[in-house]
Amino acid sequence: MSSQSRLSAALRAGAYDSALTELNGSWMTGDALAGLRARAERVTGEFCDRFSRQDSGMALFSAPGRTELGGNHTDHQHGHVLCASVDMDMLACAAPNSASEIRVISEGYPAVTVKLDSLEPVDGEKGTTCALVRGVAAGIRARGYRISGFDAFVSSEVLSGSGLSSSAAFEILIGNILNRFFCRGELDSVELAKLGQQAENVYFGKPCGLMDQLGASVGGAIAVDFAVPDAPAVEQIHFDFAASGHVLCIVDTASDHADLTEDYAQIPREMSAVAAYFGKTVLREVDESLFRGEIPALRRSCGDRAVLRALHYYHDDHAARAEAEALAQGDFEGFLKLVNASGLSSELCLQNAWSPANPRQQSVPMALAFGRELLEGSGAIRVHGGGFAGTIQAFVPQERLEIFRTGMEQLLGAGRCHVLHIRPRGGCMLGI
């Protein structure tokens, strides 16, 4: 019997059901489990067909998207964040090959090949999938591991441009494949996250923080303290979101991310300008009482928006820690109040709900306004991720889900409201 039929037969027989359930949590039963099992079978078959492979060594890997629960734009100021992995993931079938190259086919995209004889950054590759693969491989080799080539077929459910960080999920997926095939699984989830961030910063050319990669790699809800950015303190927060009586929704506002680079860049720039007033680099280094005492002078020196954005940092840094504590204590109502307060701080102080360069486009405020009407004071709703466009996040009481989803999709279009689950596992090889 070929490896293809062995793996497919094992999936059909339910041999991977416990691993698939462990991946996503106790809600993964019945039709949901059958759907994930069928997807894994399809990915396995596509791998064998695309690479003409039926040899041994095949394995299934998964890396999730992540959602930001608290700490909106606090990470780049070395503050606190709360984030979590979600059940929208990248699923791959992979196996080592005899070539000194990594070959990846992502469903719906051209094949990618990265030769391992040269893993230096390539200027012409910035912003490409090749850059991410090359960067992760280079980081692992730099840690002293001898890596060889592999083939992989990848199916992604991580929505592009959704704030769920598809690039981080891909980096963690590639890192886990290399870790299991060539590193004896010795690299832990935080180290794999650092590899992903390095690949994105140096090879891909995007100066992101580490939150996205940690959220995809560690799994579950995690509280992160970035006081030491290169060695963040990570604490898993154990809370059963499925038992909260609420559903996590990510709503795509159908707005365009194009030309928002300067909007994003101005936030850390203005926060750091306030820190520089005190001779510091980031706001984490500035005592809040000192900041508040200098607000009149800061308004003259840095401008009102910079002061408001700094005020948001202190608000949301406190909120992220309080949210983690509320979940750890099982206080979901307290958590929801903090999420709502965080969302208002993002809108009023951080001002990342819409771009002043294009005031006609205010899809995020529109979705938030209508979402609040649909929730009628229940649940919680906020800007999600970087802001200015993209998505919003809502915790919706189960009994109001259809009302909320119908209303959002009447406003924004069919299929724009996505129901997610907090996933207990981060990037991994199934069965390990």
Side-chain angles (χ1 to χ4, degrees):
M1 185 181 289
S2 70
S3 289
Q4 177 185 6
S5 58
R6 280 200 299 270
L7 185 51
S8 295
L11 285 162
R12 283 194 298 272
Y16 278 79
D17 281 5
S18 60
L20 294 172
T21 300
E22 181 190 5
L23 201 64
N24 288 313
S26 58
W27 69 271
M28 180 58 61
T29 59
D31 291 344
L33 177 59
L36 183 54
R37 187 191 307 124
R39 181 175 169 229
E41 283 188 61
R42 184 179 62 79
V43 168
T44 301
E46 290 281 1
F47 171 83
C48 294
D49 291 343
R50 301 292 186 96
F51 291 102
S52 300
R53 297 283 300 270
Q54 294 186 7
D55 56 357
S56 61
M58 292 162 51
L60 289 166
F61 294 84
S62 171
R66 70 100 188 100
T67 185
E68 172 196 285
L69 300 179
N72 193 211
H73 282 279
T74 54
D75 56 339
H76 51 70
Q77 298 300 303
H78 300 184
H80 297 78
V81 301
L82 180 67
C83 61
S85 53
V86 296
D87 58 322
M88 284 185 172
D89 74 336
M90 291 188 178
L91 184 65
C93 182
N97 61 36
S98 57
S100 183
E101 60 186 28
I102 295 173
R103 301 183 293 224
V104 179
I105 298 174
S106 294
E107 195 168 29
Y109 295 92
V112 165
T113 299
V114 173
K115 295 185 180 297
L116 298 176
D117 53 357
S118 176
L119 292 180
E120 296 299 315
V122 178
D123 286 340
E125 278 186 357
K126 287 190 181 296
T128 69
T129 302
C130 276
L132 296 178
V133 174
R134 192 183 306 276
V136 173
I140 290 180
R141 179 175 284 176
R143 283 159 174 75
Y145 291 98
R146 294 184 62 185
I147 60 174
S148 299
F150 67 82
D151 298 328
F153 178 83
V154 181
S155 167
S156 177
E157 290 186 341
V158 184
L159 302 170
S160 180
S162 64
L164 299 178
S165 197
S166 56
S167 58
F170 183 77
E171 294 150 16
I172 298 305
L173 184 74
I174 297 299
N176 270 276
I177 294 171
L178 287 165
N179 188 32
R180 290 297 170 182
F181 285 164
F182 308 116
C183 309
R184 301 175 295 279
E186 293 175 354
L187 298 171
D188 65 21
S189 57
V190 174
E191 194 65 21
L192 288 171
K194 292 178 182 178
L195 286 165
Q197 182 200 23
Q198 181 184 32
E200 193 150 346
N201 291 172
V202 178
Y203 285 75
F204 190 81
K206 179 181 176 182
C208 68
L210 187 58
M211 179 181 69
D212 293 350
Q213 289 79 11
L214 285 171
S217 190
V218 177
I222 58 171
V224 187
D225 182 351
F226 285 105
V228 182
D230 293 336
V234 179
E235 178 188 1
Q236 284 197 291
I237 305 298
H238 299 289
F239 179 81
D240 186 359
F241 285 87
S244 70
H246 289 71
V247 177
L248 172 62
C249 293
I250 297 294
V251 181
D252 180 357
T253 66
S255 47
D256 190 357
H257 281 82
D259 300 323
L260 293 174
T261 301
E262 182 60 19
D263 291 292
Y264 295 132
Q266 283 175 351
I267 292 178
R269 186 186 304 149
E270 291 180 4
M271 287 184 177
S272 294
V274 173
Y277 176 91
F278 299 96
K280 305 297 183 182
T281 304
V282 294
L283 290 173
R284 176 64 177 262
E285 300 169 343
V286 180
D287 183 83
E288 183 180 356
S289 62
L290 186 61
F291 158 75
R292 287 183 177 274
E294 291 293 317
I295 284 178
L298 284 166
R299 292 181 66 190
R300 295 189 295 270
S301 175
C302 302
D304 285 349
R305 190 173 69 173
V307 175
L308 285 166
R309 284 176 164 172
L311 186 62
H312 165 81
Y313 164 77
Y314 292 109
H315 284 168
D316 235 35
D317 189 61
H318 291 310
R321 285 178 283 172
E323 286 167 0
E325 184 177 352
L327 290 177
Q329 294 178 353
D331 180 10
F332 195 69
E333 288 301 318
F335 168 77
L336 293 177
K337 290 178 182 178
L338 289 161
V339 171
N340 277 321
S342 171
L344 288 173
S345 180
S346 290
E347 291 174 65
L348 297 175
C349 297
L350 187 60
Q351 300 180 35
N352 68 333
W354 58 279
S355 170
N358 184 16
R360 287 179 59 86
Q361 190 284 105
Q362 297 197 18
S363 296
V364 170
M366 184 73 71
L368 289 169
F370 274 82
R372 288 192 178 100
E373 289 186 358
L374 293 166
L375 288 172
E376 293 185 345
S378 65
I381 192 166
R382 68 191 286 268
V383 175
H384 184 243
F388 300 107
T391 58
I392 65 170
Q393 177 192 81
F395 288 92
V396 182
Q398 183 69 54
E399 64 271 15
R400 297 196 67 84
L401 175 59
E402 287 312 310
I403 294 172
F404 182 84
R405 178 158 49 190
T406 299
M408 285 286 94
E409 296 193 348
Q410 284 176 347
L411 175 69
L412 300 167
R416 296 291 183 180
C417 182
H418 303 277
V419 175
L420 277 64
H421 299 84
I422 303 299
R423 164 174 150 158
R425 289 207 70 182
C428 61
M429 184 171 90
L430 269 68
I432 297 295

